Every structure is written in C-alpha cells, then in structure tokens.
Amino acid sequence: MSKLLIVGTVAFDAIETPFGKTDKILGGAATYIGLSASQFDVESAIVSVVGEDFPQEYLDIFRKRNIDISGTEIVKGGKTFFWSGKYHNDLNSRDTLDTQLNVLADFNPVVPEGFKSPDIVMLGNLHPMVQLSVLEQLERPKLVVLDTMNFWMDNTWDDLLKVIAKVDVVTINDEEARQLTNEHSLVRAARKIAEMGPKYVVIKKGEHGALLFHDEQIFFAPALPLEEVFDPTGAGDTFAGGFTGYLAHTGDLSFKNMKNAVIYGSNLASFCVEKFGTERMQELTKEDVHQRLEDFKSLTQFQIKLT
Amino acid sequence: MSKLLIVGTVAFDAIETPFGKTDKILGGAATYIGLSASQFDVESAIVSVVGEDFPQEYLDIFRKRNIDISGTEIVKGGKTFFWSGKYHNDLNSRDTLDTQLNVLADFNPVVPEGFKSPDIVMLGNLHPMVQLSVLEQLERPKLVVLDTMNFWMDNTWDDLLKVIAKVDVVTINDEEARQLTNEHSLVRAARKIAEMGPKYVVIKKGEHGALLFHDEQIFFAPALPLEEVFDPTGAGDTFAGGFTGYLAHTGDLSFKNMKNAVIYGSNLASFCVEKFGTERMQELTKEDVHQRLEDFKSLTQFQIKLT
C-alpha cells in the first residue's frame, strides 16, 4: 500500500456563516486532508502538533481511520492552535476574527521512522520553513504537493520561493496565484508558477472549480453546483486530500491520472461544504463518494458526433 | 435543412477595453448569433432593423454566409441602434457610456414568409413585447430559446414574465438569474425560472462557464482558459448562436444533445473574445471550431477506473 505523508495544522476552529455559528470544533489543514484521503486505501500519517487541551475523542477520529498520528506531537501544558473566522453573505470571502498560534509557534516537525520514505507528501498550509524542514527529513518521495496561502507571500516571500522550487505540484487558490505572479490571467499565472519549479499547478477557484496545468495542457474540474454551501471551511484542504489520496491509492502519476485526481478532489470537497466543519467528512462513506462520481460524470461528460 | 430564425439587434458598437478602443463597428445580438450559427449547415434568417446609415459591406457579411436578411428592415432616413461601453480592468464588468435606440425605438418585427414555420427560434435580447410579437407570427416551432437582460427586469417585468412563459429555453447570465429569482444559489434560481415555464435553463457565468439545467439534471461547460480575453462583447450572443446553430443542424433536441450544444456554445464564444467586436467571428473556419472541440475534450473529459 502506498504511503501518504501529510503535514499541516490540527486545530480548533470557531466558524460563523450566514447559517449559524460553532463553538471550538475540530479543524486544521491536516485534519481535512487526512479525513479526505482516508476515503482511499492508503497508509497515511499526519505530522503536526497539538496542545494538552486537544481532546482524546478528536485523536480517536484519526486513529479509527488508520491515520498514523505518532508524528503529531502533543505538547504538555500547551494549547492547540486556534482560528476563528466569519464568512460574508456570499460565502466567497471571510474575515479572520482571531488567530492564536499557541503550540504552532514553536512547531518543530519530526517525521516518524516509518514515513521517512513516503510515496507522496502533502505539505498543507504552514510556514514554508516548516514545510522545508519536513522535506529535508525524507528520501525523495515520488511526488511532493504543496499548498500555501497569501499570508506566507506577505510575510515570508523568500522562504516560500525556496520550498516552491522543491515541489512537484502546487495547489493554490486563484487570488493567491495572481498575487504570487502578478498576472491576472490564470493561464499566465500557472506558467509563471511552473517556472518557479513545480511541473504541475492546480489553481482552485472555489465554487468555480479547479484547473490543473502541466506544460501546455490544461484540465478543468467544476465544483458540483449545490443548492446551498453551508460552510466552505476546509474545502481546499479536502480537495488536496482527495487529490493526493487518489494518486497514492492508484500509484499512477501520469497527467491523465492527475485529471482523475482533480475530479476526486472536487468530489470530496463537494461533501465538505455541506455541513459545519468536519461533520460531513466524518460520516462520509465510500458509497457516497462513488455515487457522487456519477454526478460528476453526468455534469461534465459528453459524446459529440462530429458534424 | 433545419430553419433557424434569429431575432435581435443589428447595431453599431463603440467599445473600450484595457487593450484598446474602437470607432463604431458592427455589433448587435442578432449579428453575433447569426455569425456564430453560420458555422453549422442551417438555413438561418435575421429579423431586425437598421437605419439607412448601415453600410452595404456589413449587409454583405450576412449575405455571404447565406443568412437571409429579407426580414431585416432598412429604415429610410433612419439611424442604426448604437451602443457604447467601457470595460473595467478585469473585463468582468462594464459601464454603458451611450445608448441611442434610433430605429429600434419603433421596431415592428415582420417575419418573412419563408420563416413562418422555423424549426428553432432564437429570441435575442430585445423588448419582451417585440420577442412576443415574433412568436405570435409563427406556427409553434420545435424549440424557442430566449435571451434577456436585467434592463427588462427593471423596466418591463410583467411583459418579460409573459414571454418567458412561452419559451422552451432561457439563456441568462448568473447575476440576471439571481435578480430574476431573488435566489443566490444558481441551482435554486434555475428551478424558479423553470417554474416560470421553460423546460431548460442555461445560466452563463462568463469566464466561469455555463450551466444547463433540466428537471433535476445539470450539465456544465467551462469557458476555455485563455491567456487573454481581448473583448467580451458578444460572447453571450455567440454562445447562443452556437447553442441554437448546433441544435438546428443536428435536429436532436434531447437533453443529451443539448449538452453538446452547450459545449459548442462555449466553443464558439471562446473565439469571439479573442479580438475586438466580430473580427474573430468573421474570419472563423469550421476547421478552427473542430480543432477547438478537441481542446474542450482534453479540458473536460476523463476516464476513471473505479477504485
């Protein structure tokens, strides 16, 4: 079975959307990535850090799904990273209300022995130097995928470029791709990102789908049109988990199969937004995912007899 | 050969985009629809009105493509409808700088004898009562498609609802669908529009593609990701021309074939925006369209072996 190493935050989130408001609930990039990737038969591990306040029942959520959390440090007396945000009415943008780094401030990732030669590494959104330090502990994996955010462009530009140069795939949202490259056209932005190192670029456009770029080839996966998006938190990470989980499961890293991985990413993300936080992802079954694949097929596949 | 009746404006446009500025050039909804539909083997006619100032060379553009313009009235001493607009930097929105209705103010459409029982009617954006008056001159066509705009929602709401009740397909952009239904979710908006009468609803999202709704089925066609959109004017009408031209050509009005029609609509529209006004559409060949169909296939089609 392929090994998937996931690096990222495991956190508490407090979320407000037009539909409601949560107390501190389970969140974090690595959480969403791990839950999403667990829909595939892969051996996965999360390298992260939490505080002593992190409840046993949350740890059990990972263990029950055979996600190795021996590389997730529990800091004695420490407090878990906390993020709080409020979405605007159209759910396309949000304000951060509070960020408490807590144990994340001194996070020094240690990859467990069993995961030092993973097949695929998913570097979730984190300080670029932390992402880099993980890569330095590994034998070169078959594929390294990196997600990042505007925060690191604003604050750690040089470090970010260093880690981008070392990865195979970058997943990034549209506005961040524009910020990173100073190009409005996503086709040009993707080309510029590829010039920084990665052979593949995935640009996530939220409700408008995701684009996969490789050389001069482009593939597009729509988001599933939903009656209601309940809470967009974690959708991008869930996409990344579906993308890397499918690639790890199939072991096929061709561009053709990456198209499928992008479809699976969109598939998984379409569930994530249906309920608050990780709720929908926790109850998700393989049957749900298979059924939704059929929805994606009828949404996008066509048969044209040439005229 | 199937007959396609096109109703809409034939006009002068003056356009300003971040890339440049035109004098009065050929424009109008029926113009774009006609040029686009002429890529298919269909017998088409344009019902419209122009002034005496409308140049012979523009009329020849239609005649050369075997578009019947006997139903396009040339008003002696009249001036052609003129629209002028300026696009914002991201090309997603624009300001209207000038609108001179001229001969359009008294437009009384007369369908030529040979087109009183067309197979398909494309009612381009116009006063809803003008659209209705065309329908009243016809034997019931196999398919009636209507395009409209926010202007008619603001000013002629009741008339608009009357004509919407009589058509099979509505094509409308996302913001207009939201305005028409007071629903943010496009899935819900499409359902509400269908309740007004049309069995099919196409929601155009510009650079974010187009959605086709029918009962509980949804199909999505992306816009082709382009390095540069030069001038979006007419893209929606070009989409409508590709959609109806393909349906008229194939004569197959099943939902399955409407998926193909939406792909052809996006295909044609992707050319329209490459140059100013109708320039790209005038030089377009069937070979170009076939080749771009291959681009759309590699952009959207995938082969997933179930896991």
Side-chain angles (χ1 to χ4, degrees):
Chain A
M1 215 189 290
S2 281
K3 284 189 178 180
L4 171 64
L5 179 64
I6 298 161
V7 188
T9 52
V10 173
F12 290 133
D13 285 350
I15 303 162
E16 194 173 337
T17 82
F19 305 106
K21 201 174 155 161
T22 70
D23 286 331
K24 279 185 177 186
I25 57 172
L26 176 61
T31 300
Y32 285 100
I33 296 166
L35 288 176
S36 181
S38 74
Q39 290 296 326
F40 305 93
D41 298 318
V42 291
E43 220 177 299
S44 65
I46 291 179
V47 168
S48 191
V49 63
V50 294
E52 209 176 343
D53 56 351
F54 198 73
Q56 190 60 41
E57 56 171 300
Y58 284 177
L59 293 172
D60 289 342
I61 288 170
F62 299 109
R63 293 200 183 104
K64 265 197 300 191
R65 288 168 178 76
N66 290 317
I67 301 170
D68 182 328
I69 51 169
S70 64
T72 296
E73 188 189 352
I74 302 169
V75 179
K76 280 254 165 75
K79 288 181 71 183
T80 301
F81 170 54
F82 171 69
W83 174 82
S84 165
K86 181 178 174 171
Y87 287 87
H88 302 158
N89 272 336
D90 66 359
L91 292 170
N92 282 332
S93 54
R94 67 186 185 191
D95 296 324
T96 290
L97 302 177
D98 193 6
T99 306
Q100 297 171 17
L101 284 183
N102 298 331
V103 293
L104 200 63
D106 305 307
F107 178 34
N108 187 16
V110 180
V111 177
E113 275 310 317
F115 275 86
K116 292 211 162 166
S117 13
D119 298 283
I120 297 186
V121 180
M122 178 66 228
L123 299 171
N125 176 47
L126 272 177
H127 194 300
M129 291 312 282
V130 173
Q131 295 175 317
L132 209 53
S133 124
V134 169
L135 286 188
E136 283 163 359
Q137 298 174 48
L138 306 176
E139 283 188 50
R140 185 66 171 93
K142 290 183 193 133
L143 195 78
V144 180
V145 183
L146 173 127
D147 191 44
T148 191
M149 267 183 75
N150 48 0
F151 181 83
W152 309 113
M153 296 173 206
D154 296 336
N155 296 290
T156 61
W157 179 262
D158 292 342
D159 293 338
L160 181 60
L161 290 193
K162 261 183 231 162
V163 65
I164 285 179
K166 288 187 184 300
V167 306
D168 303 298
V169 186
V170 163
T171 72
I172 190 169
N173 81 29
D174 44 1
E175 284 319 308
E176 289 158 355
R178 288 179 172 128
Q179 183 178 345
L180 186 58
T181 61
N182 207 20
E183 290 283 355
H184 181 77
S185 154
L186 297 179
V187 176
R188 288 195 183 156
R191 193 176 297 140
K192 274 205 181 171
I193 295 171
E195 283 164 9
M196 301 173 184
K199 292 185 288 294
Y200 302 88
V201 178
V202 176
I203 298 183
K204 301 172 286 179
K205 304 198 295 169
E207 61 166 326
H208 298 303
L211 287 157
L212 166 67
F213 296 87
H214 173 57
D215 294 336
E216 292 303 302
Q217 301 176 86
I218 313 180
F219 180 70
F220 176 79
L224 196 74
L226 296 169
E227 275 198 48
E228 211 149 80
V229 168
F230 204 74
D231 171 16
T233 308
D237 300 312
T238 301
F239 175 95
F243 180 76
T244 48
Y246 180 77
L247 289 177
H249 171 71
T250 57
D252 175 355
L253 304 179
S254 67
F255 179 70
K256 199 178 157 197
N257 197 48
M258 272 199 202
K259 292 182 174 188
N260 299 342
V262 169
I263 291 290
Y264 268 103
S266 299
N267 180 332
L268 272 298
S270 74
F271 289 106
C272 177
V273 302
E274 287 181 348
K275 294 194 176 176
F276 265 117
T278 60
E279 196 181 338
R280 187 68 182 96
M281 297 311 291
Q282 286 193 48
E283 67 195 19
L284 193 64
T285 66
K286 284 190 185 178
E287 181 59 30
D288 294 332
V289 177
H290 278 182
Q291 230 155 22
R292 191 144 292 182
L293 179 60
E294 294 308 313
D295 296 338
F296 272 88
K297 282 185 187 166
S298 48
L299 183 66
T300 59
Q301 303 302 286
F302 59 86
Q303 296 284 338
I304 289 185
K305 291 151 280 181
L306 264 185
T307 56
Chain B
M1 213 189 291
S2 281
K3 283 188 179 182
L4 171 65
L5 179 64
I6 299 161
V7 188
T9 53
V10 173
F12 290 133
D13 284 351
I15 303 160
E16 195 174 335
T17 82
F19 305 106
K21 201 175 156 160
T22 70
D23 288 330
K24 280 186 177 183
I25 57 172
L26 175 61
T31 300
Y32 284 100
I33 295 166
L35 288 176
S36 181
S38 73
Q39 290 296 326
F40 304 94
D41 298 320
V42 291
E43 221 177 299
S44 66
I46 291 180
V47 168
S48 191
V49 62
V50 294
E52 210 176 341
D53 57 349
F54 198 73
Q56 189 61 43
E57 56 171 300
Y58 283 176
L59 293 172
D60 289 342
I61 287 170
F62 299 110
R63 293 201 182 102
K64 265 197 300 189
R65 287 168 177 78
N66 291 317
I67 301 170
D68 183 328
I69 51 169
S70 64
T72 297
E73 187 190 354
I74 302 170
V75 178
K76 280 254 163 75
K79 286 180 74 183
T80 301
F81 171 54
F82 171 69
W83 174 81
S84 166
K86 182 177 172 170
Y87 287 87
H88 302 158
N89 271 337
D90 66 358
L91 292 170
N92 281 333
S93 54
R94 68 187 184 190
D95 296 323
T96 290
L97 302 177
D98 194 5
T99 307
Q100 299 171 17
L101 283 183
N102 298 331
V103 295
L104 200 63
D106 305 307
F107 178 33
N108 187 17
V110 179
V111 177
E113 275 309 318
F115 275 86
K116 291 209 163 166
S117 11
D119 298 282
I120 296 185
V121 180
M122 178 66 228
L123 299 171
N125 176 46
L126 271 177
H127 193 301
M129 291 312 282
V130 174
Q131 295 175 318
L132 210 52
S133 127
V134 168
L135 286 188
E136 282 163 358
Q137 299 174 48
L138 306 177
E139 284 188 47
R140 184 65 172 93
K142 290 184 193 132
L143 196 79
V144 180
V145 183
L146 173 126
D147 192 43
T148 192
M149 267 182 76
N150 49 358
F151 182 82
W152 311 113
M153 298 174 205
D154 296 335
N155 296 290
T156 62
W157 178 263
D158 292 343
D159 294 337
L160 181 60
L161 289 194
K162 261 184 230 162
V163 65
I164 286 180
K166 288 186 183 299
V167 306
D168 304 297
V169 186
V170 162
T171 71
I172 192 170
N173 80 30
D174 45 359
E175 283 320 309
E176 289 158 356
R178 288 179 172 129
Q179 184 178 345
L180 185 59
T181 61
N182 208 19
E183 290 283 356
H184 181 78
S185 154
L186 297 179
V187 176
R188 288 194 183 157
R191 193 176 296 140
K192 274 205 180 172
I193 296 171
E195 283 164 9
M196 300 173 184
K199 290 185 291 294
Y200 302 89
V201 178
V202 176
I203 299 184
K204 300 172 288 181
K205 305 198 295 168
E207 62 166 326
H208 298 303
L211 287 157
L212 167 67
F213 296 86
H214 173 56
D215 294 336
E216 292 301 302
Q217 300 176 87
I218 314 180
F219 180 70
F220 176 79
L224 196 75
L226 296 169
E227 275 199 48
E228 210 149 78
V229 169
F230 204 73
D231 171 17
T233 310
D237 300 312
T238 301
F239 176 94
F243 180 76
T244 48
Y246 180 77
L247 289 176
H249 171 71
T250 56
D252 174 354
L253 303 180
S254 67
F255 180 71
K256 199 178 159 198
N257 197 48
M258 272 199 202
K259 293 183 174 189
N260 299 341
V262 169
I263 292 289
Y264 268 103
S266 299
N267 181 333
L268 272 298
S270 74
F271 288 107
C272 178
V273 302
E274 287 181 350
K275 294 194 176 176
F276 264 118
T278 60
E279 195 181 339
R280 187 70 183 93
M281 297 311 291
Q282 286 194 48
E283 67 193 21
L284 193 65
T285 66
K286 285 190 186 178
E287 181 59 32
D288 294 333
V289 177
H290 278 183
Q291 229 154 26
R292 191 146 292 182
L293 179 60
E294 294 308 312
D295 295 339
F296 272 87
K297 283 184 187 165
S298 47
L299 182 66
T300 59
Q301 303 302 285
F302 58 86
Q303 295 284 340
I304 288 184
K305 292 151 280 180
L306 265 184
T307 55

